[in-house]
Amino acid sequence: MEIGIDRFVFANFPSNEGMTPVEGLLEEIELADSLGIHVYGIGEHHSDEFLDSAPAVLLSAAAARTRRIRLTSAISVLSASDPVRLFEDFATVDLVSRGRAEIVVGRGAYAEAFSLFGLDLREYDSLFESKLDLLLRLRRGGPIQWSGRHRPSLDGQRVTPKPEQELLPIWVGATGSPESFARAGALGLPLAFGIIGGNFASFRPLIDLYRDAGRRAGHAQNDLKVAVHAIGYLADEKPAAEEEFFPAYKAVFGPIARKMGRPEPSRQFFSQATGPDAALVVGDPDEVLRKFKHINEVLGGVSRICLQMSVGPLARPLRLKSIELLASISPRLADDETLMFEG
């Protein structure tokens, strides 16, 4: 099992001790690389709260400073992107990183990208399906013959540069729509599943739907990889982890709850949400390792778990310590023979 970190680059949480948010981001990726974290992902947003509207640019900067860690979007809003431009950007990241780039594509959870680029939100799913078809054709290389509703046709053009990897990894990001899981399985693409609430076991039917669709389409079991993306934080002891992380969690999810007419998350709610089977991965290394094993068991085997560790205004020393503690789990996962893919 691989372990990774996901990051949103917040503009309004300056907790970097004099560093800019982007400098803090790059420092974290360098640290994660030096400690053996397997993958680092950067989200994409198009609003004033964030500085990550161009993940490929940030990932290229990280690629020049790192040697081993895989670098991915988390996610790229494919529905609002030109697949040709997106492929060129990540093929370039792949060259800069010497073959460490990946793309996680999704339809997008926020509407701002659609209005920004003049797209009709009513075509939310159609845009994604058509553009994913083109993106998959692009990564096969050679002269491109393609036509679709949402972009001018391609008639024999070549798209450059060619990535370092023979086949640039493309994952499909999903959060809860059964159609997204079935589509990813039918295409035989690896699945990046974002889980931010509830309990992990309740999502097993969606994972089964994905795998069943893949098998019916004739794809090999080894191609149907699952990555779980969850909110997480580590400290030396679980009570300290909860105490340090709750204010940051509330700073982000409190305003979201108010906009939806719901109460802000309470300390009691947060404690329940970090319980043994619940979706927030918050605790000491032993607790987080136990939860990783739980996730693997109840979802039938997962290939990767990535923690979203940038939620809210956490002080720089706490963020860096959390990354160090996450890295300490990796050797213990590697030695655990029970972490077998069930499929």
Side-chain angles (χ1 to χ4, degrees):
M1 181 191 294
E2 295 179 326
I3 60 172
I5 297 170
D6 289 335
R7 184 75 146 84
F8 298 163
V9 188
F10 288 94
N12 55 350
F13 296 143
S15 304
N16 295 298
E17 298 182 356
M19 304 173 72
T20 69
V22 171
E23 288 171 337
L25 166 74
L26 296 175
E27 179 189 42
E28 289 182 19
I29 300 176
E30 285 186 87
L31 176 62
D33 179 58
S34 71
L35 295 172
I37 299 289
H38 299 105
V39 60
Y40 201 105
I42 299 177
E44 177 185 340
H45 302 87
H46 298 270
S47 61
D48 291 342
E49 295 91 341
F50 300 97
L51 302 175
D52 51 18
S53 62
V57 177
L58 297 171
L59 292 169
S60 279
R65 297 176 178 222
T66 55
R67 293 292 176 266
R68 296 179 296 171
I69 196 166
R70 298 194 66 78
L71 300 165
T72 183
S73 56
I75 61 171
S76 292
V77 185
L78 180 59
S79 301
S81 303
D82 182 338
V84 174
R85 180 76 266 181
L86 183 67
F87 182 82
E88 289 177 336
D89 286 346
F90 277 86
T92 303
V93 176
D94 205 46
L95 293 178
V96 176
S97 67
R98 299 296 299 271
R100 293 182 283 126
E102 301 183 2
I103 314 176
V104 179
V105 296
R107 295 180 296 180
Y110 303 98
E112 69 265 7
F114 292 85
S115 59
L116 181 64
F117 296 109
L119 300 170
D120 189 342
L121 193 58
R122 292 173 297 182
E123 296 187 318
Y124 182 75
D125 196 62
S126 173
L127 283 161
F128 181 75
E129 186 172 0
S130 176
K131 292 183 177 186
L132 179 58
D133 177 67
L134 175 54
L135 184 64
L136 295 176
R137 175 63 190 87
L138 291 167
R139 75 167 177 169
R140 296 204 300 267
I144 309 298
Q145 298 287 342
W146 182 89
S147 62
R149 285 183 53 205
H150 301 292
R151 191 200 183 281
S153 299
L154 295 170
D155 187 16
Q157 295 97 324
R158 291 180 180 273
V159 175
T160 59
K162 185 178 183 298
E164 179 90 2
Q165 298 173 87
E166 183 175 349
L167 201 65
L168 188 66
I170 296 174
W171 299 65
V172 172
T175 55
S177 167
E179 293 79 8
S180 296
F181 289 83
R183 178 192 291 118
L187 292 171
L189 295 174
L191 175 76
F193 187 9
I195 300 176
I196 64 171
N199 65 79
F200 289 105
S202 66
F203 295 102
R204 178 64 181 265
L206 290 171
I207 299 296
D208 289 343
L209 174 63
Y210 162 71
R211 290 175 173 145
D212 289 344
R215 292 190 188 104
R216 288 197 302 271
H219 297 294
Q221 174 178 298
N222 289 340
D223 293 333
L224 302 174
K225 298 178 181 179
V226 174
V228 170
H229 296 247
I231 294 171
Y233 177 76
L234 289 82
D236 288 323
E237 297 179 353
K238 183 170 183 180
E242 293 190 8
E243 192 68 27
E244 292 166 4
F245 193 61
F246 174 65
Y249 179 85
K250 185 176 180 180
V252 170
F253 287 95
I256 293 174
R258 290 197 300 271
K259 287 180 182 179
M260 299 176 68
R262 298 177 180 174
E264 293 187 4
S266 64
R267 190 67 172 80
Q268 180 181 5
F269 166 85
F270 182 75
S271 293
Q272 293 172 344
T274 61
D277 303 325
L280 298 189
V281 184
V282 177
D284 58 67
D286 288 340
E287 169 68 12
V288 170
L289 177 62
R290 190 210 65 79
K291 187 163 278 193
F292 279 7
K293 292 180 180 181
H294 171 75
I295 293 168
N296 185 72
E297 179 183 358
V298 300
L299 296 183
V302 299
S303 300
R304 176 183 291 178
I305 297 177
C306 294
L307 296 186
Q308 163 58 281
M309 300 173 70
S310 65
V311 174
L314 276 165
R316 174 174 169 263
L318 297 180
R319 295 200 315 272
L320 299 182
K321 180 64 177 294
S322 184
I323 293 171
E324 292 172 357
L325 293 173
L326 177 64
S328 73
I329 293 174
S330 186
R332 298 166 68 183
L333 285 171
D335 292 339
D336 194 327
E337 296 180 357
T338 68
L339 294 176
M340 301 295 291
F341 176 70
E342 297 176 14

